[in-house]
Structure formats: structure tokens, C-alpha cells
Amino acid sequence: MKCPHCDNKVSFFSKAMNKFGKVKFCPHCSQKIRFKFDLKTVALLFIPTVLFSFLLRPYLGALSTAVPLLVVFLVSAKLDPINENI
Ligand SMILES: [Zn+2]
């Protein structure tokens, strides 16, 4: 994911992202950001995800559902800027 303020990459698993609370701080520019799920991306990926998990079921069992869902989760996660002025 990219920081909306400074355009630097922010790792989903970085320390800054795993702090409690809605408001996170970019590790590069220290500006306020927050997680947002892109619902369009989720909707777009939903059907392929269901198909994919169906196809993988004979090989992966329960994992066939968990893995595609995790991918959708990671792909649709976006960072949103928080503007102090609003
Ligand atoms: Zn930043």
C-alpha cells in the first residue's frame, strides 16, 4: 500500500499499521492515515474468489477458502488520508 501523503510504500504488517486505534501514522512522513477497504475491488474479486476456492477445494481443503479471502483482504486494503482541517 502507498501512503496517500508521501507516496512511500507502507507495509501492511509494519509496526505502525498494527497499532491499536483507527488513526495510524505513516512511518515515513508521520502524517495521519487510516485503513479503508475498497468495496469496488472486493465486489470485483468476489466471484473469482468463490470460483477459485471451489477449484482449490479438492487440493487444499479448508485452506482453499482462507487463502483467496486473505488475498482479497490484502488487495482491497487502502490507506486514506486524514485531513486535520475537516
Ligand atoms: Zn507518508
Side-chain angles (χ1 to χ4, degrees), residues 44-59 64-65 68 72:
L44 209 74
L45 289 175
F46 185 74
I47 289 170
T49 303
V50 171
L51 287 175
F52 198 63
S53 69
F54 190 73
L55 285 173
L56 289 179
R57 186 154 302 207
Y59 310 102
S64 66
T65 312
V72 171

Side-chain angles (χ1 to χ4, degrees), residues 25-43:
F25 294 91
C26 170
H28 305 287
C29 64
S30 306
Q31 300 253 43
K32 285 182 181 177
I33 47 180
R34 68 178 165 195
F35 270 127
K36 194 182 87 174
F37 282 99
D38 193 350
L39 290 179
K40 265 189 203 164
T41 310
V42 174

Side-chain angles (χ1 to χ4, degrees), residues 5-85:
H5 297 289
C6 63
D7 242 23
N8 275 307
K9 265 195 172 180
V10 180
S11 168
F12 192 78
F13 301 104
S14 70
K15 251 190 200 174
M17 288 300 110
N18 286 306
K19 275 185 182 166
F20 279 111
K22 269 187 185 175
V23 179
K24 322 275 184 193
F25 294 91
C26 170
H28 305 287
C29 64
S30 306
Q31 300 253 43
K32 285 182 181 177
I33 47 180
R34 68 178 165 195
F35 270 127
K36 194 182 87 174
F37 282 99
D38 193 350
L39 290 179
K40 265 189 203 164
T41 310
V42 174
L44 209 74
L45 289 175
F46 185 74
I47 289 170
T49 303
V50 171
L51 287 175
F52 198 63
S53 69
F54 190 73
L55 285 173
L56 289 179
R57 186 154 302 207
Y59 310 102
L60 293 177
L63 265 183
S64 66
T65 312
V67 171
L69 277 179
L70 186 71
V71 171
V72 171
F73 180 75
L74 288 174
V75 168
S76 58
K78 294 251 153 64
L79 291 173
D80 218 19
I82 296 177
N83 292 317
E84 303 276 4
N85 302 331

